[in-house]
Amino acid sequence: MGRSPLSVLHRTDANGKPVPDVLFEKTFQSLMDEHGYVHLTGLPDDFDPVAFGRRLGPLMPHHDGALVAEVRPAPTADGVYYPGSTKAFAPHTEGYDLLGLPPRYLALWCVHPPAGDGGETTLADTRPWLAGLSEQNRQHLEKTEYDWTNPHGELGIAFRHPLLDEHRGSTVVRFSVNNIVRDDTDPVAALQSAWQRLFDEQHLAISYQRNDMVIWDNWRLLHARTAFADPHRHLRRIHIAEAH
Ligand SMILES: [Fe+2]
């Protein structure tokens, strides 16, 4: 079971009045700086998640060109759901297979929450894990470039990157439990098991109400999801680049 999120920002105050925009954004920024993610709750139907996301940086297209991705199980022509479309995902960062920098932020919001258990977005912060790495280990992760297999199959191309990068003073983490090409004696194999275990122990779980939005720093946090049964679960997703 994941922990409850600590970084939760409600759109209205205790009197039911919207928190003024300037204060809302200030609270958002301080929660993001502290925790690396914010779960927005109490959002009205006229809240504009795309506009909110664009304030953090320019949107990046998904692999099919869409700026806003529909995240829902898609039935085939016979009305059968692909079994993978409701499955759990292992912890990873997004966009390790891109030529350049991965998206700085990811945002998901809920169009239709799943009935029943599961379908949570799960998150964990790598910052304390990085702080605990030996200098030797850290240097290996900064200097050694790996091949990453492509999670989108035939559609894209994977590029070589180290697990730890630096961009204008920020650490950029790239990580996948399954998609790094390495042999079993490589130090990254031990790191993958260690981070999977830490993720299992420490992750928080976002359980969606309608309109809820979660935004996280994809250079810092790992994300995954829990399996679910309800094929009507429907989220939307944007990838936000680092602001220039
Ligand atoms: Fe992902």
Side-chain angles (χ1 to χ4, degrees), residues 89 92-94 106 223 237:
F89 293 146
H92 61 284
T93 60
E94 206 71 21
L106 256 64
H223 68 279
R237 179 181 58 221

Side-chain angles (χ1 to χ4, degrees), residues 8-9 21 37 60 64 84 86 96 106 109-110 131-132 134-135 144 166 174-176 220 231:
V8 186
L9 175 58
D21 287 348
Y37 72 94
M60 294 170 73
D64 63 354
T86 58
Y96 48 71
L106 256 64
W109 63 94
C110 179
S134 70
E135 190 51 36
T144 317
E166 203 72 20
R174 290 182 176 87
F175 183 76
S176 164
R220 172 175 166 187

